[in-house]
Amino acid sequence: MFSAFLPAMGADALKAKSAEVKGWRIHMRTALDLAELAGWMNPIIRGWMTYYGKFYRSEIYVPLRRINTYLVRWARRNFKRLRSFKRAERWWKGMLRRQPRLFAHWTGWPIFNGSGEKSRVTGDC
């Protein structure tokens, strides 16, 4: 007997999106600034959030957290003063406070914009 259906992001799609984010090599794009990274990634992120986050939002959190992790790695690689984890963490919290709408997944989703629960990746928010 069929009792319920939860339309969620499948394991294959999750793996594919994580591999796609990894393939972007965000942390290696040190010639770009954050605004350029956001302009390039936001349409893609917004599409994923619209398509996969419609019914079961928590399934899309994994690739979005991965993006945040790569952004911190980008900052640590781009700015010498952020090489230590504590300074990078302080920069990250300040970035979320200063520009909460910079990336598409930071807007409207409290887990990523610093007003919700703690992120398992960066340990803040």
Side-chain angles (χ1 to χ4, degrees), residues 48-114:
W48 290 353
M49 288 170 52
T50 303
Y51 186 77
Y52 293 109
K54 192 73 169 176
F55 300 104
Y56 209 111
R57 271 189 170 182
S58 61
E59 288 295 315
I60 192 71
Y61 287 174
V62 174
L64 297 181
R65 279 192 193 108
R66 183 177 290 257
I67 291 171
N68 285 346
T69 302
Y70 279 116
L71 289 172
V72 171
R73 283 177 64 184
W74 172 87
R76 291 180 76 184
R77 188 177 181 103
N78 209 23
F79 305 114
K80 282 187 179 181
R81 65 183 177 84
L82 299 179
R83 298 271 163 94
S84 77
F85 182 76
K86 284 188 177 188
R87 284 187 179 183
E89 183 180 32
R90 195 173 328 130
W91 173 85
W92 180 254
K93 288 178 182 179
M95 178 60 60
L96 289 174
R97 251 191 329 271
R98 284 188 307 271
Q99 297 179 318
R101 301 191 186 283
L102 183 61
F103 286 92
H105 63 291
W106 292 357
T107 60
W109 290 29
I111 191 168
F112 295 113
N113 68 6

Side-chain angles (χ1 to χ4, degrees), residues 34-52:
L34 271 178
E36 292 170 335
L37 284 173
W40 164 61
M41 290 190 300
N42 276 345
I44 300 166
I45 295 169
R46 216 173 281 117
W48 290 353
M49 288 170 52
T50 303
Y51 186 77
Y52 293 109

Side-chain angles (χ1 to χ4, degrees), residues 15-29:
K15 191 181 271 188
K17 297 307 167 209
S18 290
E20 186 174 345
V21 170
K22 185 179 179 183
W24 288 348
R25 297 173 48 124
I26 297 167
H27 61 289
M28 301 295 284
R29 297 178 184 265

